[in-house]
Amino acid sequence: MAVSPLLASMTHGFLSSQSSRALQVPPRTGADAAEISKPPTIVAQPGTTAPAPNPMQPPAKTPAPAVPVTPGSQGSTPAPVPADQSAASQPSPQAPTRLTVQHYAGGSATDIPEVPVRVGIVLDQSQLTLATANAGVITDEQGQVLQSLAPQTATAAVFSSGGVQIGSLSPRRSVWVQSASNGLTYVNGRWYRGAIELIADQGKVLAVNHIEMQPYLYSVVGAEMYQSWPAEALKAQAIAARSYALVHIVRPASHYFDLGATQRWQAYKGVETEAGSTLAAVDATHGMIISYDGGVVESLYASSDSLVREAHSGFGMSQHSARDLAQQNLSFSQILNRFYPGTHLALLQAE
């Protein structure tokens, strides 16, 4: 059965089976693309040494910042960043310039590239509350440290004079907030992995989370399905969410971000919705996508069969039905075949 064109949406830059399987990840476009496409490499302050990046680890449960912020106020005065943490140790996600889509034949995958994702986590506020779990820094686009942040001390970022203003800093079009030693960053009630970019845009302060695909999916799977559901259903959700995100990375929602954090795209709530079961499902399906004719399927899904019919004209995965099929001992690949007929599993590979 041929897959619906709605589901077989071929991402721009993905070549059909009649040509090479290699695909070019297109560069960001727009006048300021070079400035905001990825987190800057932080430049250590004079007299300090930048530590080497540490591997990203699953987060510990981190409480909300101790100091609340009221409108127009700032948190307590940040202490200077210790000398051994003056440069952030968050690795900056780097996209491979070319990827290939290879048919998945089973077994364990190797050499899976990480793909960075830009998630718009706050899009409609003129003021945000920020904090870092560890000592943190605010930098400009070139990585120059503008201000240090004391750990777990809340501060406000506000739209002012056409820019983002934090504390005594002059308003700037965009700034970056990063926590040392792979620490989490707090934005408006939630903790996030990765780096946070704040952008002044039309009277608002946009918050964009720059994060790699795997940790992004740790949260999405737990936000879109109950963490206690069968492992095979969670794996199917991980693959569907990865395919959907990849389509929007190549065909972004905005110049500033690839996709948002609500169910308008797919739900993303930072570390709040991570669990051992979601990490296991994402890691077990690392690099797996749903493919059709050499491209990547925009794998639509919804909670129930009725919502799939209403929202997607009947095309896509019903999450509750996926759970039911997993309870009948169907594997994740069998579940996906039920909802995306005519497609097959594939692996992303760096060329």
Side-chain angles (χ1 to χ4, degrees):
M1 176 180 177
V3 70
S4 162
L6 180 65
L7 293 177
S9 173
M10 307 296 288
T11 62
H12 174 67
F14 287 78
L15 305 181
S16 73
S17 60
Q18 296 176 346
S19 57
S20 169
R21 292 287 179 175
L23 59 97
Q24 184 76 37
V25 177
R28 307 298 184 193
T29 58
D32 301 308
E35 297 180 1
I36 64 173
S37 61
K38 65 180 188 298
T41 300
I42 292 181
V43 179
Q45 294 171 322
T48 66
T49 302
N54 295 323
M56 184 174 288
Q57 298 293 330
K61 296 296 183 181
T62 309
V67 181
V69 173
T70 56
S73 71
Q74 300 294 326
S76 59
T77 303
V81 179
D84 62 350
Q85 294 184 359
S86 59
S89 58
Q90 287 280 4
S92 298
Q94 300 282 342
T97 56
R98 290 181 68 84
L99 301 172
T100 58
V101 176
Q102 298 182 359
H103 184 80
Y104 174 67
S108 300
T110 59
D111 299 324
I112 301 297
E114 271 302 344
V115 179
V117 188
R118 304 175 304 162
V119 189
I121 55 175
V122 180
L123 304 177
D124 59 355
Q125 302 293 316
S126 60
Q127 176 169 316
L128 309 178
T129 302
L130 305 169
T132 53
N134 302 328
V137 288
I138 301 170
T139 74
D140 62 14
E141 297 93 334
Q142 286 72 45
Q144 293 292 333
V145 175
L146 303 174
Q147 181 175 308
S148 301
L149 296 173
Q152 298 194 44
T153 300
T155 190
V158 300
F159 183 89
S160 176
S161 303
V164 179
Q165 183 172 13
I166 303 176
S168 60
L169 293 178
S170 300
R172 293 173 177 267
R173 180 181 173 277
S174 68
V175 295
W176 292 79
V177 182
Q178 299 191 56
S179 181
S181 302
N182 292 323
L184 306 177
T185 301
Y186 177 92
V187 182
N188 278 15
R190 290 194 170 113
W191 291 96
Y192 296 92
R193 298 177 186 256
I196 303 295
E197 182 184 16
L198 303 178
I199 305 166
D201 183 60
Q202 300 181 6
K204 307 296 183 183
V205 178
L206 308 184
V208 179
N209 187 192
H210 290 246
I211 186 171
E212 291 182 345
M213 180 70 78
Q214 287 292 97
Y216 165 69
L217 293 175
Y218 292 160
S219 173
V220 170
V221 172
E224 288 286 354
M225 274 190 173
Y226 289 106
Q227 300 162 0
S228 60
W229 279 11
E232 296 303 300
L234 295 176
K235 291 176 188 177
Q237 177 65 65
I239 296 169
R242 183 180 292 110
S243 300
Y244 183 88
L246 190 59
V247 169
H248 287 272
I249 289 170
V250 181
R251 195 178 64 203
S254 162
H255 168 56
Y256 300 120
F257 57 91
D258 300 317
L259 68 175
T262 68
Q263 289 182 336
R264 160 66 179 80
W265 291 273
Q266 50 190 10
Y268 170 68
K269 299 180 180 181
V271 300
E272 174 184 323
T273 51
E274 291 184 8
S277 59
T278 70
L279 271 66
V282 172
D283 289 343
T285 60
H286 191 192
M288 293 185 194
I289 58 170
I290 305 170
S291 181
Y292 175 76
D293 196 25
V296 180
V297 172
E298 185 178 21
S299 43
L300 305 173
Y301 57 86
S303 175
S304 64
D305 291 328
S306 60
L307 284 176
V308 170
R309 288 192 296 270
E310 178 182 342
H312 307 313
S313 301
F315 299 107
M317 182 175 72
S318 161
Q319 293 162 312
H320 278 83
S321 293
R323 176 205 59 187
D324 295 343
L325 292 172
Q327 290 174 337
Q328 297 169 28
N329 296 321
L330 270 69
S331 68
F332 67 87
S333 59
Q334 292 172 319
I335 292 170
L336 293 172
N337 283 337
R338 291 285 186 97
F339 296 112
Y340 307 105
T343 67
H344 64 271
L345 290 179
L347 288 173
L348 287 178
Q349 297 280 291
E351 188 178 56

